[in-house]
Amino acid sequence: MNWREFFTKSKKRQYATLPASSSLSTHKAARSESDTVPDGLMEKCKKCGAILYKKELAQNLYVCPKCGYHFPMSAPERFRLTLDGGVYFEYDMDLVSTDPLSFPTYREKLEQTMENVGMTEAVLTGEGTIKGYPVVMAVMDSRFIMGSMGSVVGEKIARAIENARIKHYPLIIFSASGGARMQEGILSLMQMAKTSAALARFEASGGLFISVMTHPTTGGVSASFAMLGDYLFAEPGALIGFAGRRIIEQTIREALPEDFQTAEFLLRHGQLDRVVSRKEMRDVLGRLISIHQQRGWAHGDGAKL
Amino acid sequence: MATELSFEKQLKALEQKIQELKAFMKESGIDLTQEITALEEKQKELRTALYENLSPWQKVQIARHMGRPTTLEIAEAILTDFMEFHGDRVYGDDPAMVGGIGFFEGMPVTLIGHQKGRDTKENIARNFGMPHPEGYRKALRLMRQAEKFGRPVITLVNTPGAYPGKAAEERGQSMAIAENLKAMAALTVPIVVVIVGEGASGGALGIGVGNRVLMLEHAWYSVISPEGAAALLWKDASLAEKAAREMRITAQDLLALGVIDEVIPEPLGGAHQDKPAAIQTIKEAIFRHLQDLMKLSAEELVIDRYEKFRRIGAVVSFLELDQS
């Protein structure tokens, strides 16, 4: 497949953004509203069964007005609804997988997914502002091969972390992933080490990292960067865990509680700071970043209060 | 016996024949030395041919052999005054993850590894080398201790994966592994990792972030077990053999992919055929790499490890693709 052709011909894209691997540029490009609005007029809530107008659902941040169920959200949509004015500058949109293992049907699967989803990989990275504060953000998209992490996802996230470190911007990662990408084998596993190592450096530089786990965050993603935030948030009802429910049931031969591995379950077991609903997300993020604008007490400050 | 390898049937048959001849010679007094020697030659030839052309799936069988040297056996053999330590100081002591300190060629080191059993009973006690979060936290505690006292860290990987259980999730399996990845990336002492048998998923990587990653000739290391991959990809665990082939999980594959630094040769027929020899080779390899690493400063060690993992992966810009 001709990658450039794919990009220029994509009807969903309003106009091209400048891809920049160095991404130190400060160009910003806005995107229009209609990027990923799904086809069809109505949507059924997976939890309460309510039939909802898609337009209203979108206005309600893809949260069911009846029961509060959080529908999955695409990465571009998340960027637009999280950052001020829906404006962001995208990093590394030119990076694609090379099918390093020559894995059967992987290349076809990638091409097909790119066409269907309108993204080149399972993560979108970039920068913008929240309540006026500049941030580096990465958002995973579960529509792209289960949001799985292969070499490109690992590389884009590592570069985003490095950008946040260089620019002294807070880092926010919204994860949504079934885990490591099987089709890239050991190289996928190594992305866990790569992203975690980048976070270790970021931490040493004093950087702020807010991890928001959305449905689902499991396997190699939950066992690496997603769990390494200074603050760990999750959306209500999000599935978060290391091993899959079916595998656990087969292993221990007992039924698991209904809410096993949900955000609320993790909160109860002391593994999250907060469960944050989508409606309050922007406010919570903004407030948290604003608190970090001011360094707390330092040695020698004396009676600052 | 569960330790027999299915693809060694022909070898086993020959072995039996040799034993029979030997017994007959003893009984009857007829000299059959020549015949026996010929058969033994043939057996060796057959074994050599077999082991030079092992399929990935056959390697998986060897890597799972119960006679493979365990972490504690290796620790006892390569360290003097090895002292095992227990517990994560928070919840419990995980029998699937062991660790302690000792002298390695006169140098104090910390050694940590997955512990499998040598028979079914032991394996059950060791949870088949599948740690819970407290196992990873014990490992982390010992690594921090090593850092404090300036001891290089040796880790030995041999696990079918981190344990997929209810309690493991409740106690934060994901977080325990993630914390280890981050901590190991920043550790200021040398880390040498040896994949001894099986290396599956985050359960292996949780103690696998080293300056050097070495791997035994017939060990395997992947994002998931071949059975797990087959179940996930093709909804059929019986396609494990195919998965073993396609996932590129052998030491030789991983060397080519730039994931590991060296393949440690095993005795003919696998490490279980001659444990002391296998352990000696492991020791020599660790020694060589530690000697190199101990020349580096704390800062250089961290940078070295960072760059090693930062490089791994296969990405390309489609802008470059167009030009070619």
Side-chain angles (χ1 to χ4, degrees), chain A residues 2-4 94 96 98 151 155 162 191 194 203 222-223 242-243 261 271, chain B residues 169-170 172 174 178 182 221 223 306 310 312 314 316-318 321-322:
Chain A
N2 182 325
W3 306 101
R4 180 172 283 160
D94 57 321
V96 289
T98 64
S151 299
E155 180 67 24
E162 285 168 347
Q191 304 312 309
K194 181 195 280 186
E203 180 170 89
S222 73
F242 179 70
Q261 293 181 323
Q271 295 173 39
Chain B
E169 297 286 330
E170 286 169 346
S174 284
K182 190 170 81 170
Y221 188 17
V223 66
Y306 186 79
R310 188 66 189 79
I312 301 178
V316 68
S317 163
F318 62 73
L321 275 185
D322 269 6

PDB file of all heavy atoms in Angstrom, chain A residues 2-4 94 96 98 151 155 162 191 194 203 222-223 242-243 261 271, chain B residues 169-170 172 174 178 182 221 223 306 310 312 314 316-318 321-322:
ATOM      1  N   ASN A   2       0.403   2.250  -0.697  1.00  0.00           N
ATOM      2  CA  ASN A   2       1.106   3.527  -0.723  1.00  0.00           C
ATOM      3  C   ASN A   2       0.584   4.382   0.430  1.00  0.00           C
ATOM      4  O   ASN A   2      -0.558   4.798   0.464  1.00  0.00           O
ATOM      5  CB  ASN A   2       0.833   4.212  -2.073  1.00  0.00           C
ATOM      6  CG  ASN A   2       1.571   5.502  -2.192  1.00  0.00           C
ATOM      7  OD1 ASN A   2       1.740   6.216  -1.211  1.00  0.00           O
ATOM      8  ND2 ASN A   2       2.015   5.799  -3.383  1.00  0.00           N
ATOM      9  N   TRP A   3       1.466   4.630   1.386  1.00  0.00           N
ATOM     10  CA  TRP A   3       1.033   5.289   2.620  1.00  0.00           C
ATOM     11  C   TRP A   3       0.558   6.718   2.362  1.00  0.00           C
ATOM     12  O   TRP A   3      -0.414   7.177   2.931  1.00  0.00           O
ATOM     13  CB  TRP A   3       2.174   5.301   3.630  1.00  0.00           C
ATOM     14  CG  TRP A   3       2.715   3.941   3.868  1.00  0.00           C
ATOM     15  CD1 TRP A   3       3.848   3.400   3.354  1.00  0.00           C
ATOM     16  CD2 TRP A   3       2.106   2.911   4.651  1.00  0.00           C
ATOM     17  NE1 TRP A   3       3.991   2.116   3.783  1.00  0.00           N
ATOM     18  CE2 TRP A   3       2.944   1.780   4.586  1.00  0.00           C
ATOM     19  CE3 TRP A   3       0.938   2.838   5.411  1.00  0.00           C
ATOM     20  CZ2 TRP A   3       2.646   0.613   5.239  1.00  0.00           C
ATOM     21  CZ3 TRP A   3       0.662   1.669   6.064  1.00  0.00           C
ATOM     22  CH2 TRP A   3       1.506   0.563   5.962  1.00  0.00           C
ATOM     23  N   ARG A   4       1.285   7.390   1.515  1.00  0.00           N
ATOM     24  CA  ARG A   4       0.941   8.785   1.278  1.00  0.00           C
ATOM     25  C   ARG A   4      -0.428   8.875   0.612  1.00  0.00           C
ATOM     26  O   ARG A   4      -1.253   9.711   0.935  1.00  0.00           O
ATOM     27  CB  ARG A   4       1.999   9.456   0.412  1.00  0.00           C
ATOM     28  CG  ARG A   4       1.671  10.917   0.152  1.00  0.00           C
ATOM     29  CD  ARG A   4       2.802  11.613  -0.529  1.00  0.00           C
ATOM     30  NE  ARG A   4       3.871  11.915   0.403  1.00  0.00           N
ATOM     31  CZ  ARG A   4       5.109  12.168   0.016  1.00  0.00           C
ATOM     32  NH1 ARG A   4       5.426  12.096  -1.254  1.00  0.00           N
ATOM     33  NH2 ARG A   4       6.025  12.471   0.888  1.00  0.00           N
ATOM     34  N   ASP A  94       3.277  10.078  10.989  1.00  0.00           N
ATOM     35  CA  ASP A  94       3.809   9.354   9.826  1.00  0.00           C
ATOM     36  C   ASP A  94       4.354   7.968  10.177  1.00  0.00           C
ATOM     37  O   ASP A  94       4.750   7.218   9.296  1.00  0.00           O
ATOM     38  CB  ASP A  94       4.937  10.181   9.181  1.00  0.00           C
ATOM     39  CG  ASP A  94       6.044  10.497  10.168  1.00  0.00           C
ATOM     40  OD1 ASP A  94       5.725  10.781  11.346  1.00  0.00           O
ATOM     41  OD2 ASP A  94       7.219  10.431   9.788  1.00  0.00           O
ATOM     42  N   VAL A  96       4.571   4.165  10.910  1.00  0.00           N
ATOM     43  CA  VAL A  96       3.786   2.952  10.659  1.00  0.00           C
ATOM     44  C   VAL A  96       4.614   1.705  10.959  1.00  0.00           C
ATOM     45  O   VAL A  96       5.845   1.764  11.015  1.00  0.00           O
ATOM     46  CB  VAL A  96       3.277   2.890   9.199  1.00  0.00           C
ATOM     47  CG1 VAL A  96       2.197   3.926   8.964  1.00  0.00           C
ATOM     48  CG2 VAL A  96       4.425   3.052   8.220  1.00  0.00           C
ATOM     49  N   THR A  98       6.315  -2.023  10.432  1.00  0.00           N
ATOM     50  CA  THR A  98       6.983  -2.654   9.293  1.00  0.00           C
ATOM     51  C   THR A  98       6.683  -4.148   9.217  1.00  0.00           C
ATOM     52  O   THR A  98       7.303  -4.860   8.449  1.00  0.00           O
ATOM     53  CB  THR A  98       8.509  -2.490   9.392  1.00  0.00           C
ATOM     54  OG1 THR A  98       8.956  -3.198  10.562  1.00  0.00           O
ATOM     55  CG2 THR A  98       8.903  -1.037   9.519  1.00  0.00           C
ATOM     56  N   SER A 151       5.251  -1.922  18.038  1.00  0.00           N
ATOM     57  CA  SER A 151       6.408  -1.031  17.989  1.00  0.00           C
ATOM     58  C   SER A 151       6.018   0.434  17.819  1.00  0.00           C
ATOM     59  O   SER A 151       6.615   1.315  18.438  1.00  0.00           O
ATOM     60  CB  SER A 151       7.326  -1.419  16.831  1.00  0.00           C
ATOM     61  OG  SER A 151       7.804  -2.730  17.001  1.00  0.00           O
ATOM     62  N   GLU A 155       6.759   3.422  20.362  1.00  0.00           N
ATOM     63  CA  GLU A 155       7.644   4.500  19.918  1.00  0.00           C
ATOM     64  C   GLU A 155       6.957   5.856  20.064  1.00  0.00           C
ATOM     65  O   GLU A 155       7.554   6.819  20.555  1.00  0.00           O
ATOM     66  CB  GLU A 155       8.047   4.250  18.458  1.00  0.00           C
ATOM     67  CG  GLU A 155       8.985   5.297  17.860  1.00  0.00           C
ATOM     68  CD  GLU A 155      10.368   5.299  18.502  1.00  0.00           C
ATOM     69  OE1 GLU A 155      10.768   4.249  19.060  1.00  0.00           O
ATOM     70  OE2 GLU A 155      11.042   6.341  18.453  1.00  0.00           O
ATOM     71  N   GLU A 162       9.215  11.846  25.939  1.00  0.00           N
ATOM     72  CA  GLU A 162      10.448  12.617  25.785  1.00  0.00           C
ATOM     73  C   GLU A 162      10.147  14.084  25.474  1.00  0.00           C
ATOM     74  O   GLU A 162      10.822  14.988  25.974  1.00  0.00           O
ATOM     75  CB  GLU A 162      11.323  11.987  24.695  1.00  0.00           C
ATOM     76  CG  GLU A 162      11.993  10.715  25.192  1.00  0.00           C
ATOM     77  CD  GLU A 162      12.650   9.884  24.095  1.00  0.00           C
ATOM     78  OE1 GLU A 162      12.403  10.138  22.903  1.00  0.00           O
ATOM     79  OE2 GLU A 162      13.424   8.968  24.452  1.00  0.00           O
ATOM     80  N   GLN A 191       8.159  -2.997  24.158  1.00  0.00           N
ATOM     81  CA  GLN A 191       7.621  -1.632  24.239  1.00  0.00           C
ATOM     82  C   GLN A 191       7.205  -1.301  25.670  1.00  0.00           C
ATOM     83  O   GLN A 191       7.178  -0.138  26.062  1.00  0.00           O
ATOM     84  CB  GLN A 191       6.432  -1.446  23.286  1.00  0.00           C
ATOM     85  CG  GLN A 191       6.735  -1.781  21.829  1.00  0.00           C
ATOM     86  CD  GLN A 191       8.011  -1.141  21.321  1.00  0.00           C
ATOM     87  OE1 GLN A 191       8.215   0.053  21.470  1.00  0.00           O
ATOM     88  NE2 GLN A 191       8.892  -1.942  20.735  1.00  0.00           N
ATOM     89  N   LYS A 194      10.365  -0.116  27.085  1.00  0.00           N
ATOM     90  CA  LYS A 194      10.740   1.158  26.474  1.00  0.00           C
ATOM     91  C   LYS A 194       9.955   2.316  27.073  1.00  0.00           C
ATOM     92  O   LYS A 194      10.514   3.322  27.503  1.00  0.00           O
ATOM     93  CB  LYS A 194      10.492   1.094  24.961  1.00  0.00           C
ATOM     94  CG  LYS A 194      10.872   2.356  24.229  1.00  0.00           C
ATOM     95  CD  LYS A 194      10.290   2.400  22.834  1.00  0.00           C
ATOM     96  CE  LYS A 194      11.096   1.577  21.854  1.00  0.00           C
ATOM     97  NZ  LYS A 194      10.589   1.742  20.468  1.00  0.00           N
ATOM     98  N   GLU A 203      10.264  10.982  35.224  1.00  0.00           N
ATOM     99  CA  GLU A 203      10.090  11.127  36.665  1.00  0.00           C
ATOM    100  C   GLU A 203      11.318  11.770  37.301  1.00  0.00           C
ATOM    101  O   GLU A 203      11.199  12.651  38.147  1.00  0.00           O
ATOM    102  CB  GLU A 203       9.827   9.770  37.310  1.00  0.00           C
ATOM    103  CG  GLU A 203       9.644   9.855  38.801  1.00  0.00           C
ATOM    104  CD  GLU A 203       9.150   8.542  39.400  1.00  0.00           C
ATOM    105  OE1 GLU A 203       9.981   7.703  39.764  1.00  0.00           O
ATOM    106  OE2 GLU A 203       7.934   8.383  39.477  1.00  0.00           O
ATOM    107  N   SER A 222      -1.569  -2.104  30.789  1.00  0.00           N
ATOM    108  CA  SER A 222      -1.797  -1.859  32.217  1.00  0.00           C
ATOM    109  C   SER A 222      -0.540  -2.221  33.006  1.00  0.00           C
ATOM    110  O   SER A 222      -0.258  -1.608  34.032  1.00  0.00           O
ATOM    111  CB  SER A 222      -2.998  -2.642  32.732  1.00  0.00           C
ATOM    112  OG  SER A 222      -2.709  -4.010  32.851  1.00  0.00           O
ATOM    113  N   ALA A 223       0.224  -3.199  32.520  1.00  0.00           N
ATOM    114  CA  ALA A 223       1.434  -3.624  33.238  1.00  0.00           C
ATOM    115  C   ALA A 223       2.645  -2.788  32.836  1.00  0.00           C
ATOM    116  O   ALA A 223       3.783  -3.193  33.072  1.00  0.00           O
ATOM    117  CB  ALA A 223       1.707  -5.103  33.011  1.00  0.00           C
ATOM    118  N   PHE A 242      -4.682  -7.189  34.547  1.00  0.00           N
ATOM    119  CA  PHE A 242      -3.530  -7.793  33.887  1.00  0.00           C
ATOM    120  C   PHE A 242      -3.975  -8.942  32.988  1.00  0.00           C
ATOM    121  O   PHE A 242      -3.809  -8.914  31.786  1.00  0.00           O
ATOM    122  CB  PHE A 242      -2.522  -8.288  34.931  1.00  0.00           C
ATOM    123  CG  PHE A 242      -1.319  -8.953  34.326  1.00  0.00           C
ATOM    124  CD1 PHE A 242      -0.389  -8.198  33.621  1.00  0.00           C
ATOM    125  CD2 PHE A 242      -1.103 -10.320  34.443  1.00  0.00           C
ATOM    126  CE1 PHE A 242       0.728  -8.795  33.038  1.00  0.00           C
ATOM    127  CE2 PHE A 242       0.010 -10.920  33.864  1.00  0.00           C
ATOM    128  CZ  PHE A 242       0.919 -10.158  33.164  1.00  0.00           C
ATOM    129  N   ALA A 243      -4.598  -9.943  33.560  1.00  0.00           N
ATOM    130  CA  ALA A 243      -5.020 -11.116  32.793  1.00  0.00           C
ATOM    131  C   ALA A 243      -6.495 -11.003  32.431  1.00  0.00           C
ATOM    132  O   ALA A 243      -7.258 -10.312  33.094  1.00  0.00           O
ATOM    133  CB  ALA A 243      -4.772 -12.377  33.608  1.00  0.00           C
ATOM    134  N   GLN A 261     -12.300  -6.436  38.243  1.00  0.00           N
ATOM    135  CA  GLN A 261     -11.454  -5.684  37.310  1.00  0.00           C
ATOM    136  C   GLN A 261     -12.107  -4.422  36.745  1.00  0.00           C
ATOM    137  O   GLN A 261     -11.675  -3.909  35.727  1.00  0.00           O
ATOM    138  CB  GLN A 261     -10.988  -6.563  36.143  1.00  0.00           C
ATOM    139  CG  GLN A 261     -10.030  -7.672  36.573  1.00  0.00           C
ATOM    140  CD  GLN A 261      -9.555  -8.504  35.409  1.00  0.00           C
ATOM    141  OE1 GLN A 261     -10.314  -8.770  34.478  1.00  0.00           O
ATOM    142  NE2 GLN A 261      -8.306  -8.926  35.434  1.00  0.00           N
ATOM    143  N   GLN A 271      -5.934   0.710  44.204  1.00  0.00           N
ATOM    144  CA  GLN A 271      -5.032   0.809  43.067  1.00  0.00           C
ATOM    145  C   GLN A 271      -5.262   2.038  42.189  1.00  0.00           C
ATOM    146  O   GLN A 271      -4.595   2.205  41.175  1.00  0.00           O
ATOM    147  CB  GLN A 271      -5.136  -0.460  42.221  1.00  0.00           C
ATOM    148  CG  GLN A 271      -4.642  -1.691  42.982  1.00  0.00           C
ATOM    149  CD  GLN A 271      -4.895  -2.963  42.226  1.00  0.00           C
ATOM    150  OE1 GLN A 271      -4.754  -2.991  41.015  1.00  0.00           O
ATOM    151  NE2 GLN A 271      -5.269  -4.011  42.923  1.00  0.00           N
TER     152      GLN A 271
ATOM    153  N   GLU B 169      -4.851 -10.164  40.829  1.00  0.00           N
ATOM    154  CA  GLU B 169      -5.444  -8.932  40.296  1.00  0.00           C
ATOM    155  C   GLU B 169      -5.785  -7.977  41.441  1.00  0.00           C
ATOM    156  O   GLU B 169      -5.566  -6.782  41.346  1.00  0.00           O
ATOM    157  CB  GLU B 169      -6.702  -9.256  39.486  1.00  0.00           C
ATOM    158  CG  GLU B 169      -6.456 -10.115  38.258  1.00  0.00           C
ATOM    159  CD  GLU B 169      -5.788  -9.371  37.106  1.00  0.00           C
ATOM    160  OE1 GLU B 169      -5.988  -8.159  36.976  1.00  0.00           O
ATOM    161  OE2 GLU B 169      -5.051 -10.019  36.334  1.00  0.00           O
ATOM    162  N   GLU B 170      -6.341  -8.551  42.514  1.00  0.00           N
ATOM    163  CA  GLU B 170      -6.733  -7.707  43.646  1.00  0.00           C
ATOM    164  C   GLU B 170      -5.538  -6.988  44.246  1.00  0.00           C
ATOM    165  O   GLU B 170      -5.640  -5.871  44.734  1.00  0.00           O
ATOM    166  CB  GLU B 170      -7.408  -8.564  44.732  1.00  0.00           C
ATOM    167  CG  GLU B 170      -8.810  -8.985  44.358  1.00  0.00           C
ATOM    168  CD  GLU B 170      -9.379 -10.043  45.296  1.00  0.00           C
ATOM    169  OE1 GLU B 170      -8.604 -10.654  46.076  1.00  0.00           O
ATOM    170  OE2 GLU B 170     -10.589 -10.269  45.257  1.00  0.00           O
ATOM    171  N   GLY B 172      -2.865  -6.157  42.563  1.00  0.00           N
ATOM    172  CA  GLY B 172      -2.197  -5.270  41.620  1.00  0.00           C
ATOM    173  C   GLY B 172      -1.062  -5.887  40.833  1.00  0.00           C
ATOM    174  O   GLY B 172       0.060  -5.385  40.831  1.00  0.00           O
ATOM    175  N   SER B 174      -0.641  -5.912  37.603  1.00  0.00           N
ATOM    176  CA  SER B 174      -0.180  -4.960  36.590  1.00  0.00           C
ATOM    177  C   SER B 174       0.781  -3.950  37.188  1.00  0.00           C
ATOM    178  O   SER B 174       1.859  -3.687  36.651  1.00  0.00           O
ATOM    179  CB  SER B 174      -1.359  -4.190  36.009  1.00  0.00           C
ATOM    180  OG  SER B 174      -2.076  -4.998  35.121  1.00  0.00           O
ATOM    181  N   ALA B 178       4.673  -3.217  36.355  1.00  0.00           N
ATOM    182  CA  ALA B 178       5.005  -1.896  35.818  1.00  0.00           C
ATOM    183  C   ALA B 178       6.053  -1.190  36.685  1.00  0.00           C
ATOM    184  O   ALA B 178       7.020  -0.619  36.171  1.00  0.00           O
ATOM    185  CB  ALA B 178       3.735  -1.048  35.714  1.00  0.00           C
ATOM    186  N   LYS B 182       9.939   0.207  35.568  1.00  0.00           N
ATOM    187  CA  LYS B 182      10.430   1.573  35.753  1.00  0.00           C
ATOM    188  C   LYS B 182      11.647   1.591  36.677  1.00  0.00           C
ATOM    189  O   LYS B 182      12.636   2.267  36.389  1.00  0.00           O
ATOM    190  CB  LYS B 182       9.318   2.451  36.336  1.00  0.00           C
ATOM    191  CG  LYS B 182       9.657   3.921  36.346  1.00  0.00           C
ATOM    192  CD  LYS B 182       8.466   4.785  36.705  1.00  0.00           C
ATOM    193  CE  LYS B 182       8.259   4.831  38.205  1.00  0.00           C
ATOM    194  NZ  LYS B 182       7.257   5.839  38.602  1.00  0.00           N
ATOM    195  N   TYR B 221      11.318 -16.944  24.570  1.00  0.00           N
ATOM    196  CA  TYR B 221      10.958 -15.671  25.199  1.00  0.00           C
ATOM    197  C   TYR B 221       9.994 -14.977  24.245  1.00  0.00           C
ATOM    198  O   TYR B 221      10.311 -14.795  23.079  1.00  0.00           O
ATOM    199  CB  TYR B 221      12.236 -14.854  25.382  1.00  0.00           C
ATOM    200  CG  TYR B 221      12.133 -13.564  26.183  1.00  0.00           C
ATOM    201  CD1 TYR B 221      11.059 -13.279  27.013  1.00  0.00           C
ATOM    202  CD2 TYR B 221      13.164 -12.630  26.114  1.00  0.00           C
ATOM    203  CE1 TYR B 221      11.010 -12.112  27.742  1.00  0.00           C
ATOM    204  CE2 TYR B 221      13.125 -11.448  26.851  1.00  0.00           C
ATOM    205  CZ  TYR B 221      12.042 -11.203  27.667  1.00  0.00           C
ATOM    206  OH  TYR B 221      12.008 -10.036  28.390  1.00  0.00           O
ATOM    207  N   VAL B 223       5.956 -12.558  23.925  1.00  0.00           N
ATOM    208  CA  VAL B 223       4.950 -11.702  24.528  1.00  0.00           C
ATOM    209  C   VAL B 223       3.872 -12.534  25.222  1.00  0.00           C
ATOM    210  O   VAL B 223       3.162 -12.060  26.093  1.00  0.00           O
ATOM    211  CB  VAL B 223       4.354 -10.764  23.447  1.00  0.00           C
ATOM    212  CG1 VAL B 223       3.585 -11.555  22.405  1.00  0.00           C
ATOM    213  CG2 VAL B 223       3.482  -9.691  24.038  1.00  0.00           C
ATOM    214  N   TYR B 306      18.885   2.381  29.138  1.00  0.00           N
ATOM    215  CA  TYR B 306      17.843   3.160  28.463  1.00  0.00           C
ATOM    216  C   TYR B 306      17.961   3.010  26.952  1.00  0.00           C
ATOM    217  O   TYR B 306      17.001   2.711  26.253  1.00  0.00           O
ATOM    218  CB  TYR B 306      17.963   4.639  28.854  1.00  0.00           C
ATOM    219  CG  TYR B 306      16.835   5.491  28.318  1.00  0.00           C
ATOM    220  CD1 TYR B 306      15.599   5.501  28.949  1.00  0.00           C
ATOM    221  CD2 TYR B 306      16.995   6.260  27.177  1.00  0.00           C
ATOM    222  CE1 TYR B 306      14.557   6.265  28.472  1.00  0.00           C
ATOM    223  CE2 TYR B 306      15.953   7.034  26.685  1.00  0.00           C
ATOM    224  CZ  TYR B 306      14.738   7.034  27.334  1.00  0.00           C
ATOM    225  OH  TYR B 306      13.703   7.783  26.860  1.00  0.00           O
ATOM    226  N   ARG B 310      15.363   1.573  24.305  1.00  0.00           N
ATOM    227  CA  ARG B 310      14.802   2.647  23.487  1.00  0.00           C
ATOM    228  C   ARG B 310      14.866   2.297  21.998  1.00  0.00           C
ATOM    229  O   ARG B 310      14.022   2.684  21.212  1.00  0.00           O
ATOM    230  CB  ARG B 310      15.582   3.945  23.777  1.00  0.00           C
ATOM    231  CG  ARG B 310      15.016   5.191  23.146  1.00  0.00           C
ATOM    232  CD  ARG B 310      13.666   5.530  23.729  1.00  0.00           C
ATOM    233  NE  ARG B 310      13.017   6.611  22.990  1.00  0.00           N
ATOM    234  CZ  ARG B 310      12.394   6.447  21.826  1.00  0.00           C
ATOM    235  NH1 ARG B 310      12.322   5.251  21.275  1.00  0.00           N
ATOM    236  NH2 ARG B 310      11.840   7.460  21.213  1.00  0.00           N
ATOM    237  N   ILE B 312      14.731  -0.756  20.626  1.00  0.00           N
ATOM    238  CA  ILE B 312      14.021  -1.961  20.174  1.00  0.00           C
ATOM    239  C   ILE B 312      12.635  -1.633  19.635  1.00  0.00           C
ATOM    240  O   ILE B 312      11.853  -0.939  20.271  1.00  0.00           O
ATOM    241  CB  ILE B 312      13.900  -2.998  21.311  1.00  0.00           C
ATOM    242  CG1 ILE B 312      15.305  -3.380  21.810  1.00  0.00           C
ATOM    243  CG2 ILE B 312      13.182  -4.255  20.811  1.00  0.00           C
ATOM    244  CD1 ILE B 312      15.295  -4.366  22.961  1.00  0.00           C
ATOM    245  N   ALA B 314      10.217  -1.854  15.580  1.00  0.00           N
ATOM    246  CA  ALA B 314      10.344  -1.755  14.128  1.00  0.00           C
ATOM    247  C   ALA B 314       9.322  -0.751  13.632  1.00  0.00           C
ATOM    248  O   ALA B 314       8.149  -1.066  13.472  1.00  0.00           O
ATOM    249  CB  ALA B 314      10.107  -3.117  13.496  1.00  0.00           C
ATOM    250  N   VAL B 316       8.688   2.771  10.887  1.00  0.00           N
ATOM    251  CA  VAL B 316       9.204   3.492   9.747  1.00  0.00           C
ATOM    252  C   VAL B 316       8.247   4.645   9.456  1.00  0.00           C
ATOM    253  O   VAL B 316       7.061   4.576   9.789  1.00  0.00           O
ATOM    254  CB  VAL B 316       9.355   2.530   8.529  1.00  0.00           C
ATOM    255  CG1 VAL B 316       7.996   2.081   8.021  1.00  0.00           C
ATOM    256  CG2 VAL B 316      10.149   3.177   7.421  1.00  0.00           C
ATOM    257  N   SER B 317       8.789   5.720   8.893  1.00  0.00           N
ATOM    258  CA  SER B 317       7.926   6.816   8.480  1.00  0.00           C
ATOM    259  C   SER B 317       7.422   6.514   7.079  1.00  0.00           C
ATOM    260  O   SER B 317       8.197   6.144   6.206  1.00  0.00           O
ATOM    261  CB  SER B 317       8.702   8.131   8.479  1.00  0.00           C
ATOM    262  OG  SER B 317       7.987   9.087   7.729  1.00  0.00           O
ATOM    263  N   PHE B 318       6.128   6.690   6.848  1.00  0.00           N
ATOM    264  CA  PHE B 318       5.640   6.379   5.497  1.00  0.00           C
ATOM    265  C   PHE B 318       6.172   7.376   4.478  1.00  0.00           C
ATOM    266  O   PHE B 318       6.160   7.125   3.288  1.00  0.00           O
ATOM    267  CB  PHE B 318       4.113   6.278   5.451  1.00  0.00           C
ATOM    268  CG  PHE B 318       3.358   7.523   5.796  1.00  0.00           C
ATOM    269  CD1 PHE B 318       3.311   8.589   4.917  1.00  0.00           C
ATOM    270  CD2 PHE B 318       2.674   7.599   7.001  1.00  0.00           C
ATOM    271  CE1 PHE B 318       2.607   9.735   5.248  1.00  0.00           C
ATOM    272  CE2 PHE B 318       1.970   8.746   7.331  1.00  0.00           C
ATOM    273  CZ  PHE B 318       1.943   9.818   6.453  1.00  0.00           C
ATOM    274  N   LEU B 321       9.015   5.573   3.227  1.00  0.00           N
ATOM    275  CA  LEU B 321       8.567   4.437   2.421  1.00  0.00           C
ATOM    276  C   LEU B 321       8.328   4.871   0.978  1.00  0.00           C
ATOM    277  O   LEU B 321       8.651   4.167   0.038  1.00  0.00           O
ATOM    278  CB  LEU B 321       7.265   3.871   2.974  1.00  0.00           C
ATOM    279  CG  LEU B 321       7.348   2.860   4.105  1.00  0.00           C
ATOM    280  CD1 LEU B 321       5.962   2.346   4.424  1.00  0.00           C
ATOM    281  CD2 LEU B 321       8.270   1.711   3.746  1.00  0.00           C
ATOM    282  N   ASP B 322       7.759   6.039   0.823  1.00  0.00           N
ATOM    283  CA  ASP B 322       7.444   6.533  -0.505  1.00  0.00           C
ATOM    284  C   ASP B 322       8.673   6.735  -1.365  1.00  0.00           C
ATOM    285  O   ASP B 322       8.650   6.472  -2.555  1.00  0.00           O
ATOM    286  CB  ASP B 322       6.711   7.879  -0.384  1.00  0.00           C
ATOM    287  CG  ASP B 322       5.212   7.666  -0.318  1.00  0.00           C
ATOM    288  OD1 ASP B 322       4.820   6.493  -0.243  1.00  0.00           O
ATOM    289  OD2 ASP B 322       4.478   8.650  -0.341  1.00  0.00           O
TER     290      ASP B 322
END
